[in-house]
Amino acid sequence: MHELSLCQSIIQLTERVANSYDASKVIGVTVELGTAVAIEEDTFRFCFDAIASDTIADGSRLTIDWVSLKLQCQTCETVYFPRSPVIPEPCPRCGSFDTRCLAGREFSVKHIEVEDTRKETGQRA
Ligand SMILES: [Zn+2]
């Protein structure tokens, strides 16, 4: 399943980042997702929660920043947003299918929110 493997890479990256900051717990993860990646949001959230349990990111809040598919016609250079992220749509001006993708294929972890353990230690000392 597409969503499952994407969530696995998100959690792996999250764990690596959290460890490098000596964080004991991840409380929030923000991912940037292009609509052309064709993720089903409910499935994605379900997979995220399932994989995050028993990791440092257990119970963390998942935020998805959607990026709309944006194409540029290679013939007349018109920039447009297709109605569907998956069904090919020709240039509204000249009808060409020769397009370049400017945005909408993003898949990245934008932000990871952790509990700052070092700060807690500092307050106690
Ligand atoms: Zn065109």
Side-chain angles (χ1 to χ4, degrees):
M1 195 199 300
H2 189 48
E3 283 83 356
L4 192 66
S5 58
L6 290 180
C7 285
Q8 270 163 347
S9 34
I10 291 173
I11 297 293
Q12 276 167 11
L13 180 72
T14 302
E15 285 188 303
R16 217 178 315 142
V17 172
N19 287 335
S20 70
Y21 283 98
D22 285 333
S24 61
K25 188 151 180 52
V26 173
I27 50 178
V29 179
T30 304
V31 294
E32 192 175 46
L33 275 179
T35 52
V37 182
I39 291 282
E40 214 278 294
E41 182 166 347
D42 289 344
T43 312
F44 189 70
R45 289 186 177 280
F46 177 81
C47 291
F48 180 88
D49 289 343
I51 298 166
S53 63
D54 296 328
T55 75
I56 197 165
D58 184 24
S60 62
R61 185 171 24 85
L62 175 66
T63 308
I64 303 175
D65 277 356
W66 291 103
V67 182
S68 296
L69 180 61
K70 187 178 173 186
L71 300 177
Q72 181 172 35
C73 176
Q74 298 282 68
T75 309
C76 71
E77 296 190 343
T78 298
V79 173
Y80 63 106
F81 295 91
R83 266 159 296 180
S84 162
V86 283
I87 302 164
E89 197 178 303
C91 169
R93 193 200 266 179
C94 72
S96 171
F97 275 97
D98 185 12
T99 54
R100 192 160 63 98
C101 181
L102 299 181
R105 296 193 196 283
E106 289 78 0
F107 170 68
S108 61
V109 177
K110 244 177 125 179
H111 183 73
I112 293 170
E113 206 179 325
V114 296
E115 261 179 19
D116 193 342
T117 47
R118 274 169 296 187
K119 201 162 139 198
E120 273 176 32
T121 316
Q123 280 165 348
R124 257 183 246 129

